[in-house]
Amino acid sequence: MSKLGNLGARLYRGEVGYDFIGKRKIWYGISILITITAIVGLAVRGLHLGIEFSGGAVFTTPKTSVSTSEAQHHAESAAPGHQAMVQKLGNGTLRVQISGLDTKQALPVQEEIAKDLKVPVKDVNTQLVGPSWGEQIADKAWLGLGIFMVLVVLYLAVAFEWRMAVAALVALIHDLTITVGVYALIGFEVTPGTVIGLLTILGYSLYDTVVVFDSLKEASKDITKQSRFTYSEIANRSINGTLVRSINTTVVALLPVAGLLFVGGGVLGAGMLNDISLALFVGLAAGAYSSIFIATPLVADLKNGEPQMKALAKRVAAKRASAAAKEAARQEETAESEGPDDEAEAEGAAVVGPRPQPAARNRGRGRTPGKRR
């Protein structure tokens, strides 16, 4: 068995483990800090909406040696007052996107771009997108997200309990907020591909959370009939028992997504891959984090507020205190019973070698006391 497999088996059996629940305030603090940063970035910078949502024109040029920065400067000069975004595609062509352009404005801008880039006007392909189409996409995305959240809460409330449903919902909102905040801070364009990526990560995040919840449900069955473990300790064992599985699942899912993001989007210049892969990459990482550090500790906090769990915690503490007192008394009795023997051995060990004999010393001198030669 590999080292990782051996570690997973030991974690599952409870031989080793990390106290995730005991340090939950640290994880809560980290999540709150990241969430506040994402919200501030969203409020200050805002989202860079693509033309699919804001409307505009997309100009695709033939292969050219002009850099993206130069092409962006030419595009903004051709359409003053409008924001331009330029991407170099894998075959050397440029994709110039200018938001807010209508049909009348698109033709002069097309001619100006062709002139600045020194390419024929007929070779510059133009596509116009109206803002109404983007609004429909956004409305459908919000509707789908709302339906998904409601179904998730209902399923978890029926399959598990309402506390787990609330914790899973908080974890999903946490993942979405962080992902959207990263888009705002980095400045990536929000396109329909971004929406697809956001909806996709919800399933991955929910999968990890349900795996831990299922283990917790089995481990906490008839929990009030025993007095060995509290609910928090059982929840912590459930996290550790599924930890290696969660890590393996996340790493395997992140590797191809990282390839799309850094190779497909960064090296090959595929713009649509950036939109989808960034949402998937950030969302998968945030989902794995929230399922371990947010969802399960939150369930433990909610459950520990129940009277039954409070009574269980008191019984466990009383039993452990009684066991500790008995162990201390046993050790004290053992020390007292071994005390005299130890003192005797210490006294015996203080005398080493034969004792001096006075008569022997006198005989060694060759005369008896009181006589003289």
Side-chain angles (χ1 to χ4, degrees), residues 83-161:
Q83 187 177 10
M85 182 176 180
V86 180
Q87 293 177 334
K88 177 163 283 190
L89 305 181
N91 55 2
T93 62
L94 294 177
R95 183 177 183 267
V96 182
Q97 178 179 301
I98 303 177
S99 59
L101 289 181
D102 55 21
T103 306
K104 295 181 180 180
Q105 296 172 324
L107 182 58
V109 172
Q110 177 186 6
E111 296 175 350
E112 190 68 23
I113 290 176
K115 179 180 177 182
D116 293 335
L117 299 182
K118 298 179 180 180
V119 295
V121 179
K122 62 181 181 63
D123 292 339
V124 178
N125 185 28
T126 303
Q127 293 179 345
L128 295 175
V129 179
S132 59
W133 185 80
E135 293 178 359
Q136 295 177 3
I137 294 295
D139 293 339
K140 291 181 179 179
W142 282 113
L143 179 61
L145 179 61
I147 294 175
F148 177 83
M149 292 291 191
V150 172
L151 292 178
V152 164
V153 171
L154 292 176
Y155 169 75
L156 292 179
V158 173
F160 299 99
E161 58 174 303

Side-chain angles (χ1 to χ4, degrees), residues 299-324:
V299 171
D301 282 336
L302 294 175
K303 289 289 290 185
N304 287 332
E306 295 182 351
Q308 294 179 347
M309 298 307 160
K310 291 181 179 180
L312 173 62
K314 290 181 180 179
R315 292 201 307 271
V316 172
K319 183 177 180 179
R320 292 177 180 176
S322 176

Side-chain angles (χ1 to χ4, degrees), residues 160-182:
F160 299 99
E161 58 174 303
W162 68 267
R163 295 169 186 82
M164 292 184 177
V166 171
L169 182 62
V170 171
L172 289 177
I173 296 175
H174 167 272
D175 301 340
L176 288 175
T177 304
I178 291 178
T179 306
V180 174
V182 169

Side-chain angles (χ1 to χ4, degrees), residues 29-43 177-178 181 185:
I30 294 174
S31 295
I32 291 173
L33 180 61
I34 296 175
T35 303
I36 291 175
T37 303
I39 293 174
V40 170
L42 184 62
T177 304
I178 291 178
L185 292 173

Side-chain angles (χ1 to χ4, degrees), residues 171 175-176 178-180 182-183 197-198 200-202 204-205 208 250 254 257 276-290:
D175 301 340
L176 288 175
I178 291 178
T179 306
V180 174
V182 169
Y183 264 84
L198 289 175
T200 304
I201 64 174
L202 298 179
Y204 281 101
S205 176
D208 283 338
T250 303
L254 281 177
V257 174
I276 300 177
S277 58
L278 179 63
L280 290 176
F281 188 85
V282 177
L284 287 174
Y289 172 85
S290 64

